[in-house]
């Protein structure tokens, strides 16, 4: 890492930068909807990498991750909308959202982290639902969340006078709202990638891996397993909170519906399908699982019209069918994920050999 | 206190542990002195490993307790035992299998290092310096137990003997005052056992007190300054090897068998 980049990797990085910068313009040719799909793909990369700290690094199965996203989203919605008449700036709201999500993570984690595997999964699942139901019902006796109707007219992300909603002209190019958010999200995603990489190869990252490998040995070498696990929970939750804030600002609208169990499962699927604990794999998983369903949504209908001249199957149900089938196939043929870390691939490969013996 | 009077490092006071009806430890009291190699022997199921587990905080004793380095050990806090200066190996080797040998020892530095999440995220000068020191120290320890050429191999791919050595290196990484070895020679051939003996003597020479559980009587009697014998969870005798070897109860319970 300390060495200067070789010409080859410098070329690779340049290529990636150019591709990342140009991507929204390519997507815009298909309409702004595609830029928005791109935005969500990157938001999911961010979320999946946050969850990766909990699931991939610390090995804790968390099925309620969306709850932290919800906390962040509602924090933004309440502090920057006409609902309470508050319009706080981003550098106040985002830390508050992350902090509240972090506190929620610790609150959930401290009583439950003695549980393992399936049990932890069930408790976190319950927690996710509780948060959603809270958001749904906190409109009486005092109206805090505005219940199922949700909160509208949420302020967009803005730095000083520069708003991320609406179109601006930059160097003669028209940058639409979704395009501006795209660049913001890419910047955030790069930040979370760097943090993930650094954490993985740190004292804390090694402690997480040690706990995953052998909790008793980890205790014996002096790792305070409870606190270190709690740390993973708190960190993952904070990232969820930040993502939630950006989501609320980007949409301009939040309601409890956006934070269903299905969303938690989706993010977990991104982590597992891509390759748990392996950062490039998680990114791939997030991009694939967020874009694929949309591509199917836009592709299936017209394809049927072209092939059969009429709609044989409702595109929405076919989309879920194809999606489910793809998941099953990947787990059957690539159980360590599409792009697993070299060690994990070996690990699962050997397990299979043992079964064969 | 004059320098040549041996001082106590660890004192077990009437430690008791039951598993249902099984009395694994019956009020065991013993004293380990600074700088000695202390042997703990006894037939299978005598309670030796249970004694280790109570001392290192993995089990909570049902009675009694430990005083280490003049201060009582907190029950039920394994990470604190390590921090206080007790390190151990396991009878059934417990390494972090999918981490490299080097990483295993680096994890062993955990209690003697500080870097937290913020340091890791910022990757500032202090964190980088600490990380480099951890790596260097771990490498030195691999060298010390003579497996430096396996540094980048996954722990699970090491040979049995090397895994034992790696476990010792990982334990030493926490700079223990007391190193507890649970049957380190189990499954080793004569050459490996001789090498292990040399290693243990070296560790003691470098100033670490050693508590050794071992079935190899010859090894224990030759290596240890004092020996304690457990039988059915009770302490039979605690003395120098020459006395222990001649004790009638020990011969009946263990050596004679
Ligand atoms: N976790 C446990 N649950 C129930 N019984 C246990 C447990 N750990 C130990 N025992 C019992 O306590 C007794 C002492 O076991 P321990 O493992 O301490 O013996 P040991 O002296 O280390 O024997 P060995 O030489 O075979 O390793 C045995 O009867 C054992 O079955
Ligand atoms: Mg034992």
């Amino acid at each position: 890492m300390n060495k200067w980049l070789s010409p080859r990797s410098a070329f690779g990085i340049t290529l990636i930068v150019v591709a990342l910068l140009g991507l929204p313009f390519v997507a815009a040719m298909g309409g702004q909807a595609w830029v928005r799909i791109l935005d969500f793909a990157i938001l999911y990369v961010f979320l999946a990498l946050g969850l990766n700290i909990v699931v991939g690094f610390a090995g804790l199965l968390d099925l309620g991750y969306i709850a932290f996203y919800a906390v962040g989203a509602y924090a933004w919605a309440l502090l920057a909308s006409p609902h309470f008449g508050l319009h706080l700036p981003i550098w106040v709201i985002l830390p508050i959202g992350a902090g509240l999500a972090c506190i929620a993570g610790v609150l959930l984690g401290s009583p439950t982290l003695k549980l393992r595997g399936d049990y932890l999964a069930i408790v976190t699942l319950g927690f996710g639902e509780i948060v959603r139901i809270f958001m749904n019902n906190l409109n009486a006796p005092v109206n805090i969340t505005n219940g199922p109707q949700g909160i509208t007219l949420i302020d967009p992300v803005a730095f000083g006078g520069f708003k991320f909603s609406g179109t601006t002209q930059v160097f003669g190019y028209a940058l639409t709202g979704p395009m501006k958010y795209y660049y913001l999200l890419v910047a955030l995603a790069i930040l979370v990638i760097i943090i993930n990489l650094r954490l993985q190869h740190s004292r804390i990252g090694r402690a997480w891996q040690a706990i995953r490998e052998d909790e008793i040995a980890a205790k014996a070498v002096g790792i305070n397993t409870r606190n270190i696990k709690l740390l993973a929970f708190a960190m993952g939750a904070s990232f969820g909170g930040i993502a939630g804030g950006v989501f609320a600002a980007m949409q301009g609208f939040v309601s409890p519906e956006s934070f269903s169990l299905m969303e938690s499962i989706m993010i977990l699927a991104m982590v597992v399908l891509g390759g748990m604990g392996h950062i490039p794999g998680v990114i791939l998983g997030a991009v694939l699982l967020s874009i694929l369903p949309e591509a199917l949504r836009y592709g299936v209908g017209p394809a049927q019209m072209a092939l059969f001249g009429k709609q044989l199957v409702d595109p929405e149900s076919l989309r879920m069918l194809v999606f489910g089938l793809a998941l099953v196939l990947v787990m059957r043929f690539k159980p360590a994920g599409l792009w697993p870390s070299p060690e994990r691939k070996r690990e699962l490969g050997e397990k299979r050999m043992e079964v064969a013996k | 206190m004059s320098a040549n009077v041996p001082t106590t490092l660890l004192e077990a006071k009437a430690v008791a542990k039951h598993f249902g009806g099984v009395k694994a430890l019956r009020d065991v009291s013993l004293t380990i002195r600074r700088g000695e190699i202390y042997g703990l022997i006894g037939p299978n199921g005598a309670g030796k490993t249970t004694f280790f587990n109570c001392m290192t905080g993995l089990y909570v004793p049902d009675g009694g307790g430990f005083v280490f380095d003049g201060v009582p050990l907190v029950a039920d806090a394994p990470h604190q035992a390590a921090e206080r200066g007790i390190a151990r190996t396991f009878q059934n080797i417990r390494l972090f299998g999918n981490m490299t040998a080097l990483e295993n020892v680096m994890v062993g530095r955990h209690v003697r290092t500080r870097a937290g999440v913020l340091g890791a995220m910022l990757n500032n000068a202090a964190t980088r310096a600490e990380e480099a020191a951890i790596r260097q120290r771990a490498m030195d320890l691999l060298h010390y137990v003579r497996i430096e050429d396996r540094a980048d191999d996954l722990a699970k791919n090491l040979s049995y003997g090397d895994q034992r050595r790696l476990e010792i290196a990982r334990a030493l990484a926490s700079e223990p005052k007391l190193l507890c070895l649970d049957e380190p020679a189990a499954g080793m051939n004569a050459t490996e056992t001789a090498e292990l003996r040399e290693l243990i003597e070296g560790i003691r020479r470098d100033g670490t007190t050693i508590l050794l559980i071992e079935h190899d009587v010859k090894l224990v009697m030759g290596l240890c300054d004092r020996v304690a014998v457990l039988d059915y969870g009770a302490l039979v005798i605690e003395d120098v090897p020459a006395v222990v070897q001649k004790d009638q109860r020990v011969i009946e319970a263990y050596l004679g068998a």
Side-chain angles (χ1 to χ4, degrees), chain B residues 19 22 24 42-51 59 91 183 215:
Chain B
F19 295 106
V22 179
N44 288 115
K48 306 179 295 290
T49 300
T50 304
F51 183 80
Y59 290 168
Q91 187 169 350
E183 302 199 19
H215 271 303

